[in-house]
Amino acid sequence: MAQSVSKEAVQISTVPAFRSSELLAKLVSAGSAACIAEAITLPLDCAKIKLQVEGGTLVSTIRTIAMTDGAKGFFRGLIPGLHRQLGFCTIRLGLYDSTKEFYMRNTPLNEGLPLRFAAGISTAVAAVCVAQPTEVVKIRMQAAKAGTTRYSGTLSAYYKIGITEGSKGLWSGLGPSVVRLSICNIGEVVTYDTVKTAILRRGWMTDAFPLHFLSAVCAGGVTTILTSPVDVVKTRFVNSAPGEFRGALHCATVLAKKGGVRMFYKGCVPSFFRITGWNLIMFMSYEQLRRIVARRLKSY
């Protein structure tokens, strides 16, 4: 009998860990869902970047992009954008639940907002430290002057920035990006998690499409309000000429003197539609992909 138990234990121990957990499913689904959302909402992101860098109105910005660059102008930075989402969202969303569990086991934090904030900020910081070069390349390619090509391609952009500016150039804007993505993760992942959990606990809705839709809309609205000021500073700072600003704080001060509070909400209209649309597509895709991938992994 002892021998049979020993064999059973050996058999159990040889099963790969990912087959008995959803971690791999969450990582794969988070990155894939983010890429789907990025590809669909990129035109609004291009308009937002142009609006923040060059000014004007949303309508005039869209008209300028369409007249000078055509349809391809709305998809500038698609490849680095997909790189960015694979790096950022795989970490900040895919590791979110695992980070919450880690803090619950190893810290006094229990289920609630402090725990969610800690997990959201931690995964955001990790994502930026790993994937910031993709953010720099994406913004610079999108912010190129109408009718011009700043880089011949995505790999060319990484290479040129790396050669001319070194690691400092590839990781430029790291501080603003850490702040922005931390706030963004609170607005998106933490808000989505909080709204979804609260509604499920009260029994108002089931864990299905309508709940995912409502939670994603709430996440999009909160994120737009929280991230617009940081997003404007980050975009201006990353796309600035060397030496134009001493740092992110100096950049924010210059923008405030130039246009006041309104300057920090330039592009907030396309940002709202893009962020809310992005959240709807991403979270609903994520929920479905996570279940599909988890079932596939368990079948192996």
Side-chain angles (χ1 to χ4, degrees):
M1 183 175 180
Q3 187 177 1
S4 63
V5 171
S6 176
K7 287 181 179 180
E8 184 180 1
V10 171
Q11 289 175 352
I12 292 174
S13 66
T14 59
V15 178
F18 70 81
R19 294 185 183 178
S20 60
S21 73
E22 289 194 342
L23 177 58
L24 183 59
K26 289 176 181 177
L27 292 172
V28 171
S29 302
S32 301
C35 286
I36 294 170
E38 182 74 11
I40 294 174
T41 62
L42 188 63
L44 278 173
D45 193 42
C46 288
K48 179 204 71 175
I49 296 289
K50 285 280 189 182
L51 195 57
Q52 290 174 346
V53 173
E54 299 179 6
T57 65
L58 175 60
V59 175
S60 66
T61 300
I62 292 175
R63 186 186 301 118
T64 299
I65 295 173
M67 292 177 63
T68 56
D69 295 326
K72 69 177 183 179
F74 292 100
F75 290 92
R76 280 181 182 261
L78 175 61
I79 301 304
L82 297 180
H83 291 174
R84 176 184 181 274
Q85 294 304 338
L86 283 173
F88 277 25
C89 212
T90 298
I91 296 173
R92 73 184 181 93
L93 175 60
L95 292 178
Y96 174 75
D97 288 333
S98 298
T99 304
K100 278 203 309 181
E101 293 170 5
F102 173 82
Y103 282 135
M104 288 182 71
R105 289 195 306 267
N106 298 282
T107 71
L109 294 174
N110 293 316
E111 186 71 23
L113 279 179
L115 174 66
R116 293 186 172 95
F117 274 45
I121 292 172
S122 297
T123 53
V125 172
V128 173
C129 290
V130 171
Q132 180 62 10
T134 65
E135 174 83 343
V136 172
V137 170
K138 174 176 176 284
I139 289 178
R140 293 196 184 184
M141 291 184 72
Q142 287 179 331
K145 295 291 183 181
T148 65
T149 303
R150 195 169 183 177
Y151 306 104
S152 61
T154 304
L155 294 180
S156 171
Y158 286 118
Y159 178 78
K160 189 172 180 180
I161 296 171
I163 291 296
T164 58
E165 302 176 43
S167 59
K168 185 177 180 180
L170 287 170
W171 270 269
S172 64
L174 185 67
S177 289
V178 166
V179 173
R180 183 193 179 278
L181 196 63
S182 296
I183 295 172
C184 184
N185 229 28
I186 291 172
E188 288 182 349
V189 179
V190 173
T191 299
Y192 182 88
D193 182 27
T194 303
V195 171
K196 179 182 173 183
T197 301
I199 292 175
L200 284 173
R201 282 179 175 173
R202 287 165 175 77
W204 294 343
M205 301 174 78
T206 59
D207 189 3
F209 177 85
L211 175 59
H212 304 159
F213 184 94
L214 177 61
S215 302
V217 170
C218 292
V222 172
T223 303
T224 303
I225 294 171
L226 293 178
T227 61
S228 284
V230 181
D231 196 30
V232 170
V233 173
K234 183 202 70 173
T235 300
R236 289 295 185 93
F237 185 73
V238 170
N239 200 55
S240 63
E244 183 178 351
F245 301 114
R246 294 192 298 272
L249 186 59
H250 179 235
C251 179
T253 303
V254 171
L255 293 178
K257 289 180 179 179
K258 184 177 180 180
V261 176
R262 291 179 61 184
M263 180 64 73
F264 294 101
Y265 283 90
K266 271 197 169 185
C268 67
V269 174
S271 285
F272 170 76
F273 287 111
R274 181 194 179 275
I275 290 173
T276 302
W278 192 92
N279 274 275
L280 283 169
I281 298 167
M282 193 278 292
F283 278 116
M284 288 190 291
S285 298
Y286 171 71
E287 294 283 6
Q288 299 306 313
L289 286 171
R290 180 171 58 84
R291 294 172 182 177
I292 293 171
V293 174
R295 285 199 299 268
R296 289 297 183 91
L297 289 176
K298 287 178 181 177
S299 68
Y300 289 135

